[in-house]
């Protein structure tokens, strides 16, 4: 009996083990399995091949190699912004609407919006600028061409603007067959050999209006006695109907000479005589002529005298006229002048009608 009991106990030990709880055993085995599984997952996520090896995101090929954004070719090599090609010739002085007419000195460099690169200019008040800029054709050759007063372009660039007048006199109308007087430091004259004509003097120049009844009509304003030195800058709204001239005009005495430097005309190009030469001045070519008037009105009464002419080959109504090249050319062709009586800007009409508004300055 004792023997059978011992065999029974031995069988139980073999089957279940000593001191072991079947439930605990199962938990431990499950935990080992989970931990092992976790190790496997961790290796999958942390080997660095997929996420942290840098091949995909941090090798710098796509984002930081500098080829796209930082090599400087597109953005920072200076070709577009800093090499100076586009901006290096920018004005280093002031960019102004006017320069020489404001007493300034043209400087090298470009300005936006057609302004002038300028130093030492004194800007007038806004009203003066609004009334006297007179830029009918100021397309503005950038205004750094350096052609101070002699480019004579018909477009009326910065160097061919009449100077701003500081005159404080009011407008002055003159209606007569003959009247001469002073206005704003210049001498004006109205003359006709028909019915009375009128002109109105303004601080910047004058206006003229004539008709057939005036017969020969001259409205002029300028310097007396004059010389071979004036540089005349003008801008005109010139509307002739028939025979008319827009010109620099004047007389000399001993010998008595009437002269014209004609920039524009009406229906007839003066003077209708044979051309004797040419002169190039103020950006244009002028044909030279001589004619003779017999027993006609003059500053010395009715008498006989010669007329000298420079007539521009292409019309214009604004620009600069430097008188000396014309006088020198006339002399070279044997056209002798005397002592100056005047140098004026004139609007003349002959048996015609029309109107003109002239802004003019003399240097």
């Amino acid at each position: 009996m004792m023997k059978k009991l011992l065999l029974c106990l031995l069988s139980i030990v073999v089957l279940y083990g000593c001191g072991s709880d079947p439930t605990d055993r199962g938990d431990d085995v499950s935990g080992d399995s989970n931990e092992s599984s976790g190790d496997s997952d961790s290796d999958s996520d942390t080997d660095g091949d997929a996420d942290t090896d840098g091949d995909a995101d941090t090798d710098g090929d796509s984002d930081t190699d500098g080829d796209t954004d930082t090599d400087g070719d597109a953005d920072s090599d200076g070709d577009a912004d800093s090499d100076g090609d586009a901006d290096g010739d920018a004005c280093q002085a002031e960019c102004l609407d006017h320069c020489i007419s404001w007493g300034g000195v043209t400087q090298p460099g470009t300005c936006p919006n057609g302004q002038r690169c300028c130093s030492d200019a004194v800007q007038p008040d806004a009203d003066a600028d609004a009334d006297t800029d007179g830029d009918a054709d100021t397309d503005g050759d950038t205004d750094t061409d350096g052609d101070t007063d002699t480019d004579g372009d018909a477009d009326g660039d910065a160097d061919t603007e009449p100077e701003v007048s500081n005159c404080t006199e009011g407008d002055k109308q003159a209606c007569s067959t003959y009247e001469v007087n002073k206005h704003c430091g210049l001498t004006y004259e109205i003359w006709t050999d028909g019915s009375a004509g009128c002109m109105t003097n303004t601080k910047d120049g004058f206006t003229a209006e004539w008709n057939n009844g005036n017969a020969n009509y001259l409205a002029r304003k300028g310097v007396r006695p004059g010389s071979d030195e004036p540089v005349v800058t003008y801008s005109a709204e010139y509307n002739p109907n028939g025979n008319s001239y827009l010109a620099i005009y004047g007389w000399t005495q001993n010998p008595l000479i009437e002269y014209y430097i004609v920039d524009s005309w009406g229906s007839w190009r003066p003077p209708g005589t044979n051309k004797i030469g040419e002169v190039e001045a103020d950006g244009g070519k002028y044909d030279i002529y001589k004619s003779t008037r017999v027993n006609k009105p003059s500053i010395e009464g009715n008498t006989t005298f010669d007329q000298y002419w420079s007539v521009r080959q292409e019309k214009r109504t604004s620009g600069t006229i430097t008188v000396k090249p014309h006088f020198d050319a006339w002399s070279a062709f044997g056209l002798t002048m005397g002592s100056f009586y005047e140098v004026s800007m004139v609007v003349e009409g002959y048996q015609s009608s029309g109107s003109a508004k002239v802004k003019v300055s003399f240097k």
Side-chain angles (χ1 to χ4, degrees):
M1 183 69 178
M2 182 64 87
K3 184 176 181 180
K4 287 182 179 181
L5 181 59
L6 291 172
L7 288 174
C8 182
L9 292 172
L10 180 62
S11 298
I12 292 171
V13 170
V14 171
L15 179 62
Y16 294 106
C18 294
S20 296
D21 187 329
T23 303
D24 289 342
R25 176 67 179 169
D27 290 344
D28 288 345
V29 170
S30 175
D32 289 343
S33 175
N34 290 336
E35 287 178 5
S36 176
S37 175
D39 290 344
S40 175
D41 291 342
S42 175
D43 182 57
S44 174
D45 293 335
T46 61
D47 61 359
D49 292 338
D51 299 327
T52 60
D53 60 358
D55 292 338
D57 300 326
T58 61
D59 61 358
D61 292 338
S62 295
D63 300 326
T64 61
D65 61 357
D67 292 337
T68 302
D69 298 325
T70 61
D71 62 355
D73 292 337
D75 300 325
S76 61
D77 61 356
D79 291 338
D81 299 326
S82 60
D83 62 357
D85 293 338
D87 300 325
D89 58 349
C91 177
Q92 301 301 308
E94 290 186 279
C95 290
L96 302 173
D97 292 332
H98 306 283
C99 186
I100 292 174
S101 62
W102 286 354
V105 178
T106 300
Q107 299 295 332
T110 59
C111 290
N113 303 320
Q115 290 184 307
R116 292 81 169 147
C117 188
C118 185
S119 65
D120 303 324
V122 178
Q123 299 185 44
D125 59 48
D127 290 338
D129 184 51
D131 293 336
T132 61
D133 58 8
D135 297 335
D137 299 300
T138 55
D139 59 6
D141 304 331
T142 323
D143 311 305
T144 56
D145 55 4
D147 300 334
T148 303
D149 288 310
T150 59
D151 58 2
D153 297 335
D155 56 6
D157 62 9
D159 300 322
T160 58
E161 297 171 8
E163 288 188 346
V164 175
S165 173
N166 294 321
C167 176
T168 59
E169 293 183 49
D171 292 352
K172 182 178 182 181
Q173 187 178 55
C175 293
S176 178
T177 56
Y178 173 71
E179 180 177 324
V180 57
N181 213 325
K182 290 275 192 178
H183 183 262
C184 289
L186 299 175
T187 300
Y188 72 87
E189 182 174 324
I190 177 77
W191 181 92
T192 75
D193 62 358
S195 61
C198 292
M199 68 180 293
T200 300
N201 291 280
T202 66
K203 68 176 184 178
D204 301 312
F206 63 96
T207 63
E209 188 170 354
W210 68 99
N211 56 58
N212 289 314
N214 302 140
N216 195 187
Y217 167 99
L218 285 85
R220 62 195 196 256
K221 193 172 187 177
V223 292
R224 297 190 185 186
S227 69
D228 65 355
E229 297 178 356
V231 177
V232 185
T233 306
Y234 78 97
S235 176
E237 298 174 15
Y238 176 57
N239 304 293
N241 298 304
N243 188 7
S244 175
Y245 320 136
L246 177 67
I248 294 298
Y249 173 86
W251 294 84
T252 69
Q253 294 177 291
N254 300 315
L256 181 65
I257 303 294
E258 184 180 34
Y259 68 84
Y260 293 85
I261 303 170
V262 181
D263 262 14
S264 191
W265 54 92
S267 60
W268 180 73
R269 186 178 188 268
T273 58
N274 292 328
K275 174 180 168 181
I276 62 175
E278 290 183 1
V279 59
E280 188 168 347
D282 302 306
K285 290 184 178 180
Y286 292 75
D287 297 328
I288 297 175
Y289 304 89
K290 176 185 175 182
S291 56
T292 301
R293 301 272 285 166
V294 178
N295 197 29
K296 296 296 182 180
S298 78
I299 58 172
E300 297 178 355
N302 286 2
T303 187
T304 297
F305 54 91
D306 288 333
Q307 294 176 314
Y308 300 161
W309 302 80
S310 285
V311 183
R312 191 176 173 91
Q313 292 179 357
E314 295 182 0
K315 292 181 180 181
R316 66 173 181 173
T317 57
S318 66
T320 294
I321 299 176
T322 308
V323 299
K324 193 173 190 309
H326 298 274
F327 299 158
D328 290 346
W330 295 344
S331 179
F333 285 104
L335 307 183
T336 303
M337 301 182 74
S339 300
F340 282 95
Y341 174 81
E342 70 172 307
V343 177
S344 297
M345 189 82 196
V346 70
V347 174
E348 180 169 354
Y350 182 73
Q351 296 180 356
S352 64
S353 63
S355 64
K357 180 180 180 181
V358 181
K359 296 181 178 182
V360 63
S361 64
F362 289 78
K363 290 184 180 178

